Amino acid sequence: MKNEKSKVQSGKLPLKAVAIAALVLLALSTAVVSVDAHMPGARAPPEFELKPIVINDGGTEVEITIDDVANYHASQVNKEPQICVCLVCAFRATKLGISEIWGEEIPSRDDIRIISRLPTLGSRDCFRYVTGTGPEIETRTKGEYKIVLSDGTEVTNMTNKNQKKLSKGNSLDNFRFEICRKSTGECFEVVLKEGVFPDGFFELRKKVKFDPKNATSEEGALFKSEWEDTRDKFLTLPDWKLFEGIEEPEEEELDVVGGAIFFSILVIGLGLLLGLSLRGKAR
Amino acid sequence: MNELEEKFGQIYFAVLGAVGLAFGAAELIASAGEGFTWGILDSSGAADPTFLPWRAIILLSAGFFYLSSVKDFAEIHQLAKAVLGSIMIWIVAGMAIWSRIASSIPGEETWFNSLEGFLASYAPPYCPEMFLLPFSLVIVYYILKEKEAER
């Protein structure tokens, strides 16, 4: 009997070991992911309506949606597709820059030059996808994309590792993007407004993402919540609330009085017409 | 139709024809470009850009009909030209009014518009045909006069 019991126990032991190992692996994987631009366990984004970026790629009109960019970003960082803060910010900045410079025109991909101050994986993949300069992008033409840091240094090493390393000291000052029309030399600088990121966001990010051992679970939860709120702002707020130099569109006041006068004239006129025709019939 | 009425009709429809021609020419020029909105007058064709050149041609034709009817206005064939000019204006203005009525009822995101939204959809600016509509109704007086004379 003893032997049988010990056999059963020894049979349970590997199960326990597997369970413990799985838990350890899960915890480790979570720790590894947290260093990435992706936010594990982030709540689903709210309902949003972001129109695609439309460009001309060697005679073919191409519509680039935020999902296209997110999928490309996922393929470059080997993660599940997720719309992260930097990615959606870069997408909005590109859309704004294009509309400011090209207006209603559709830009040619090879006429677009983007100079970004932001070294992050999400923005890198968005700008690469739009300009067609990244790997594994089917494109006939290519625009230009480069990262120039605030101190004027051009980043030539675009690897994930280097981008992560450079992103450690990111601040609001990095959220500047120059969208240029190469053929005319026109440029528009998209600058993020203060207040889009909450106070202390970048310090908290640095601590939680790059020094997780010293970050408390409360700080981790706060960062996650602030990250989600900021992403939602980029997905839902209008340009003038996000970027500098964009004027709030004036709300058209409804001309109720003018409309009421015309409507009254119309009703009286129709009434008279009806009265006259009935009178004519009665005769 | 007495002499005074004929004289009045001649002057009135000459002016109306000239105004119709001017509006038609303006709309024709506007249809070549992006149109224009001047105060409460709208020739932007924002609602119906493809119809703008047709509107211009109809207005020009109405203007020509009015002007060609002026000489010997009391004569039935001449009066018929003025009637034709008016009918052309009524059709285009009627379409513009109907389009306003139809668009004033549904809301942007709801089945029915609010009262404010409903009234505001009748607010200016208006297309030139809508301005000419009340003035073109004067022809009804001459039609009735002609009918009376027949009796």
Side-chain angles (χ1 to χ4, degrees):
Chain A
M1 278 296 278
K2 267 187 184 178
N3 276 345
E4 273 177 19
K5 196 178 181 182
S6 67
K7 267 182 189 173
V8 173
Q9 276 177 341
S10 65
K12 277 183 182 173
L13 198 65
L15 269 177
K16 268 187 186 174
V18 167
I20 291 164
L23 281 170
V24 170
L25 272 173
L26 189 73
L28 275 173
S29 68
T30 315
V32 170
V33 169
S34 68
V35 186
D36 215 305
H38 277 54
M39 180 60 71
R43 67 165 183 254
E47 264 189 43
F48 62 92
E49 195 190 336
L50 280 184
K51 285 186 180 164
I53 295 169
V54 185
I55 54 164
N56 188 320
D57 182 27
T60 312
E61 213 173 278
V62 181
E63 285 193 355
I64 300 170
T65 64
I66 186 84
D67 290 328
D68 295 334
V69 179
N71 287 335
Y72 177 69
H73 175 49
S75 74
Q76 295 304 299
V77 294
N78 297 319
K79 294 277 179 304
E80 284 294 307
Q82 189 185 50
I83 298 172
C84 64
V85 171
C86 297
L87 183 134
V88 66
C89 174
F91 188 84
R92 294 290 302 266
T94 311
K95 266 183 76 67
L96 174 64
I98 286 174
S99 72
E100 288 289 326
I101 292 177
W102 278 270
E104 296 293 310
E105 276 181 73
I106 296 173
S108 296
R109 184 172 248 163
D110 55 4
D111 199 19
I112 304 171
R113 178 192 290 133
I114 298 174
I115 303 165
S116 166
R117 306 259 178 275
L118 184 67
T120 58
L121 298 174
S123 63
R124 176 201 67 182
D125 291 335
C126 176
F127 292 138
R128 276 179 153 185
Y129 196 81
V130 172
T131 53
T133 49
E136 299 160 40
I137 299 170
E138 280 181 30
T139 179
R140 292 180 188 171
T141 53
K142 283 183 181 182
E144 260 184 65
Y145 162 58
K146 55 184 173 184
I147 301 176
V148 179
L149 299 176
S150 308
D151 61 3
T153 320
E154 187 178 339
V155 178
T156 48
N157 184 352
M158 292 285 194
T159 58
N160 290 356
K161 196 179 167 188
N162 192 49
Q163 293 290 306
K164 279 180 194 172
K165 192 179 138 195
L166 289 171
S167 76
K168 189 176 176 183
N170 276 352
S171 66
L172 183 67
D173 200 38
N174 291 89
F175 284 78
R176 287 168 177 268
F177 317 96
E178 234 176 87
I179 318 293
C180 300
R181 186 174 189 159
K182 285 162 73 179
S183 56
T184 59
E186 281 174 273
C187 285
F188 181 80
E189 193 179 25
V190 183
V191 181
L192 191 69
K193 270 188 174 176
E194 272 185 42
V196 176
F197 284 105
D199 286 341
F201 177 85
F202 294 103
E203 290 76 20
L204 189 63
R205 172 183 175 272
K206 200 172 174 181
K207 196 173 180 185
V208 173
K209 290 183 78 174
F210 295 93
D211 191 13
K213 281 179 190 169
N214 291 325
T216 62
S217 57
E218 285 81 17
E219 284 173 324
L222 177 66
F223 174 67
K224 189 178 150 214
S225 153
E226 288 186 348
W227 185 96
E228 289 165 341
D229 292 346
T230 311
R231 176 204 57 191
D232 295 353
K233 282 183 191 173
F234 280 117
L235 285 170
T236 55
L237 291 184
D239 286 336
W240 65 270
K241 281 191 177 173
L242 293 172
F243 303 109
E244 295 283 2
I246 309 297
E247 280 181 24
E248 182 183 351
E250 280 177 28
E251 266 187 44
E252 275 184 41
E253 272 186 41
L254 295 177
D255 183 6
V256 180
V257 179
I261 292 169
F262 181 82
F263 186 68
S264 310
I265 294 169
L266 190 68
V267 170
I268 292 165
L270 286 173
L272 282 173
L273 201 70
L274 196 69
L276 279 173
S277 63
L278 287 175
R279 210 175 134 191
K281 270 188 183 178
R283 275 182 184 177
Chain B
M1 192 187 307
N2 61 36
E3 221 173 282
L4 185 70
E5 283 168 341
E6 187 186 350
K7 194 82 188 159
F8 175 81
Q10 280 178 327
I11 297 166
Y12 184 87
F13 285 105
V15 174
L16 193 62
V19 174
L21 268 184
F23 276 153
E27 288 225 299
L28 201 63
I29 295 163
S31 63
E34 288 182 359
F36 67 88
T37 304
W38 185 56
I40 56 168
L41 183 69
D42 177 39
S43 266
S44 64
D48 49 357
T50 40
F51 193 53
L52 190 60
W54 291 110
R55 241 169 52 182
I57 292 166
I58 292 167
L59 258 184
L60 281 173
S61 309
F64 277 122
F65 278 123
Y66 279 138
L67 286 175
S68 63
S69 72
V70 167
K71 195 182 169 191
D72 204 6
F73 187 70
E75 204 265 321
I76 187 75
H77 296 96
Q78 291 296 90
L79 192 61
K81 285 180 189 174
V83 173
L84 203 61
S86 291
I87 290 173
M88 290 176 99
I89 288 172
W90 296 343
I91 291 171
V92 184
M95 281 170 67
I97 291 170
W98 175 247
S99 131
R100 288 212 179 216
I101 293 170
S103 62
S104 70
I105 298 164
E108 275 183 27
E109 288 172 1
T110 51
W111 280 83
F112 293 103
N113 212 343
S114 63
L115 181 65
E116 275 190 348
F118 174 80
L119 290 174
S121 55
Y122 292 94
Y126 307 112
C127 65
E129 293 78 4
M130 279 165 78
F131 285 104
L132 293 181
L133 176 70
F135 300 103
S136 69
L137 291 172
V138 173
I139 199 71
V140 176
Y141 174 79
Y142 286 96
I143 295 170
L144 292 174
K145 274 276 160 193
E146 198 60 35
K147 212 175 169 184
E148 252 176 44
E150 268 180 29
R151 277 176 195 165

